[in-house]
Every structure is written in structure tokens, then in C-alpha cells.
Amino acid sequence: MTPRQYVLVGLMGLPLGCATVPGDVRLRSDGTPMAEKCPEKALEVMRYLRLYVGESAWVQLDANQSRAESITLHDGPLESILDQDVGTLEAPLRLYGRVWTGGAQPVIRYYEAQFLKGKDRVPICAVARLGFGQLRKRPESKPGTAILNAPRAGMYIVDEFR
């Protein structure tokens, strides 16, 4: 067995359920989410997967709009595609999370990763970020949406959502 296979076999024995629903958080007056703790199970899984806080990789923000010139995100669930390996996560794989579009730029939090070939989803904690204001919404974005100039962003591993 390869080291990656040992990690995946070890994950099979972990109970992956959470006491609360990830992404079900209170909102600020501008519609952005408040702080949220990373579930203990996600922290445990991330240790097994060698996903350390601050590690990052490129993602296609919306699997349905990958490689488009500009994209429109809507409040609610999001499926992204990991473009680069990070820790023991090998690209491409699916990232599942949630988008909030209430502020000047969307807030994107990832709660699960899914390996290819039908493997189970595993809990993680990550966010999408892009420096220099590049993740800002375009002015023509309607309420509940965020029109972005780029389909990609950095995905960063976190231990808490702030």
C-alpha cells in the first residue's frame, strides 16, 4: 500500500457526521456570515490528510462555469474543482461549500472534499480568497449574486472561519 492508501483506509474508520449543519450560521447586517468554528471531525480528518492551515491551491470556483471569462455566483451551495494538489488531496477533486454574496465580495467556505471514483465526501475547512481585491463583485451584480471577473481563486485551508 502507498502512504496515500494508508491515509484513506484510516479515514474509513472515522465517524464523519457533525453535530451542526456546516454553513448554517448567523449573518451580519450586510449579509455576510459571522465566525464559525471548524468541526472537530474536520480538524481530525485534515490532520490525517496532511492539510495544514495556510496551505493553498488554485480552484475553479464553480464547476458549472469553469474556465469562463467571468462567472456569476449565487447565494447558497457551491461545487468547485481543485486544480492543484494540496496535502494528500490530488487534483482534480470536488469541493463542496457555500457562497454568501451580501458584502463587497462573496464569502466562500468549503466544508467537504470528494475524491474521484465515487469515494465518500470528507469534512474539511477551507475558504476561497484572491488578493488585490480581485474577488470583488462587479457593480452590475444584483442582490443574491456576485459577478466576478475571474473563474478561479485560491483555496486556503483554515482551522476556523472568521
Side-chain angles (χ1 to χ4, degrees):
M1 266 188 182
T2 67
R4 183 172 184 279
Q5 289 171 321
Y6 280 117
V7 168
L8 294 177
V9 168
L11 287 174
M12 301 291 273
L14 287 176
L16 300 177
C18 299
T20 61
V21 177
D24 188 19
V25 297
R26 292 187 9 217
L27 301 179
R28 295 181 181 97
S29 60
D30 69 354
T32 59
M34 296 187 83
E36 177 182 13
K37 289 192 177 286
C38 185
E40 202 54 47
K41 286 297 173 196
L43 294 171
E44 185 177 351
V45 167
M46 291 190 309
R47 282 191 295 274
Y48 276 111
L49 293 175
R50 296 186 214 137
L51 297 173
Y52 304 111
V53 173
E55 286 189 311
S56 64
W58 286 104
V59 295
Q60 295 291 324
L61 289 170
D62 186 340
N64 295 315
Q65 301 179 71
S66 64
R67 311 227 189 267
E69 195 169 304
S70 66
I71 63 171
T72 302
L73 299 179
H74 301 273
D75 283 327
L78 178 69
E79 178 183 355
S80 298
I81 301 170
L82 184 71
D83 277 348
Q84 295 177 305
D85 297 350
V86 62
T88 56
L89 297 180
E90 294 178 356
L93 65 76
R94 302 291 188 199
L95 294 170
Y96 295 95
R98 184 169 174 85
V99 179
W100 292 268
T101 63
Q105 65 183 35
V107 173
I108 301 170
R109 295 178 178 176
Y110 295 110
Y111 300 103
E112 296 179 306
Q114 184 172 26
F115 299 96
L116 295 181
K117 299 182 182 176
K119 303 258 189 225
D120 291 333
R121 292 182 185 186
V122 295
I124 64 166
C125 292
V127 297
R129 292 183 182 140
L130 206 53
F132 305 108
Q134 295 175 20
L135 202 57
R136 290 207 178 274
K137 299 186 315 189
R138 291 195 348 206
E140 64 268 25
S141 299
K142 292 184 166 84
T145 67
I147 300 172
L148 305 177
N149 288 328
R152 294 177 73 198
M155 181 274 302
Y156 290 81
I157 301 298
V158 298
D159 59 359
E160 182 177 338
F161 299 105
R162 295 176 179 85

